[in-house]
Structures are given as C-alpha cells and as structure tokens.
Amino acid sequence: MSLRLFAAIAIPDSVAERLTPLMRGVSGAKWRPRENLHLTLRFFGEVTEPVADEIDGELSLISAMPFELTLKSAGAFGGADPHTLWIGARESDALKKLAADCERAARRVGLKPEPRKFTPHVTMAYLSGTPLDQVQAFESRLGLFEAPPFLVESFGLYSSFTRKSAPSLYRLEAEYPLLG
C-alpha cells in the first residue's frame, strides 16, 4: 500500500478565521475548507509504507526552535493560465530552515529533489476556467492583507486522500514539536 504524504504547518483557528472571509469573488474557484488550510513545507508524494516510516524517522530528528509566522499578501500560481490562489507568508529564516530540513529528510530517504523553489503559502482555492482579471482583482484586493502572527511550535506529517466530488481529505499521521 502507498500513502500520499506531505509535511506542513497547521494554521490555527484564530488565523483561519481571518482567511475564510477572503474566499469570495472569484468564479471557477474551488475554495478550500477550513480543515485543509495549512502551509506545506515539503510534498513527498506517493510513497510505500516503509518509505513513509523512514520519512517519519527523519522528520523526528529535525531540531528547530519555535518561531513566529505571519501570513500576508496574496498571489496565484500559473501565470496567464492561473490554477491556484494563495495567501503568502512573511519572509522568515526559521521557516526557510524548517522547509530545507524537510527537503534534506526527503533526500536522505532517497526521494528526488523538489524541483520548485520553496514558496511559502496557504492554498486558498484551485481554479478552473477563471478569468485572469478576477485573479488579478483577488491579488490586488489582498495585496496588503496581513494576519496576526502566530507561534509555530510544531509541524506535522500528513496523508492526503483524493476524493472524486469533494476536497481531499488530510489526516495528521505524526506531529513533531519544535524544541530547539
């Protein structure tokens, strides 16, 4: 059996309450439910259970101090053919280091390097046939958005189950405290 896994930071309810009212005004947007809001550190993809166990072991060795994280501004992936709306994160050396540690863990278990540069974000919606001007209006409307900072004291290993007529179901498989 295989699992579809990713490492992520959970978004606290106090911040999610600031995000959900922003989910409007874009046709063709499939807005993410509250329980799917997270900031991905590393997507591992489909792996076998033995590899999942190895990933868990490597992630459990990561040593980092708790840090503050602020979600701010908005953007889209896909350029002229946008497919995803997101809320970004303020520049953070601690966040970059944690993501790099997750990348190193993936490589130690034999996974291929992540080809894309780490762009910290919370996916807000997946798009289908959305006019570019609506995407630009979303980005413009939320260009100055900034949520209150929150303390990141842990990150998790999540499994993802794709469902046909509903958003993916995410399950926390393991949690790793940030203790330094």
Side-chain angles (χ1 to χ4, degrees), residues 16 25 34 39 46 48 83 102 107 112 120 128 136 144 148-149 155-157 164 166 175 177:
R34 159 62 190 112
L39 189 147
E46 292 279 342
T48 63
H83 54 76
C102 290
R107 290 185 189 191
K112 291 185 174 151
S128 178
Q136 292 166 336
L144 298 177
F155 69 101
L157 178 63
K164 244 185 194 155
E175 190 168 17

Side-chain angles (χ1 to χ4, degrees), residues 73-154:
S73 73
F77 292 129
D81 186 20
H83 54 76
T84 306
L85 296 178
W86 50 262
I87 297 293
R90 174 175 280 152
E91 185 82 14
S92 165
D93 289 339
L95 177 60
K96 279 195 244 179
K97 181 189 177 309
L98 183 56
D101 288 344
C102 290
E103 176 64 29
R104 281 190 286 279
R107 290 185 189 191
R108 281 195 296 272
V109 303
L111 298 181
K112 291 185 174 151
E114 172 58 53
R116 296 173 297 244
K117 177 182 176 280
F118 177 63
T119 303
H121 68 279
V122 175
T123 297
M124 298 287 282
Y126 294 113
L127 305 175
S128 178
T130 302
L132 189 55
D133 64 329
Q134 288 187 22
V135 172
Q136 292 166 336
F138 177 84
E139 292 174 316
S140 177
R141 177 169 54 93
L142 299 176
L144 298 177
F145 170 79
E146 188 166 317
F150 64 95
L151 187 62
V152 177
E153 298 179 280
S154 67

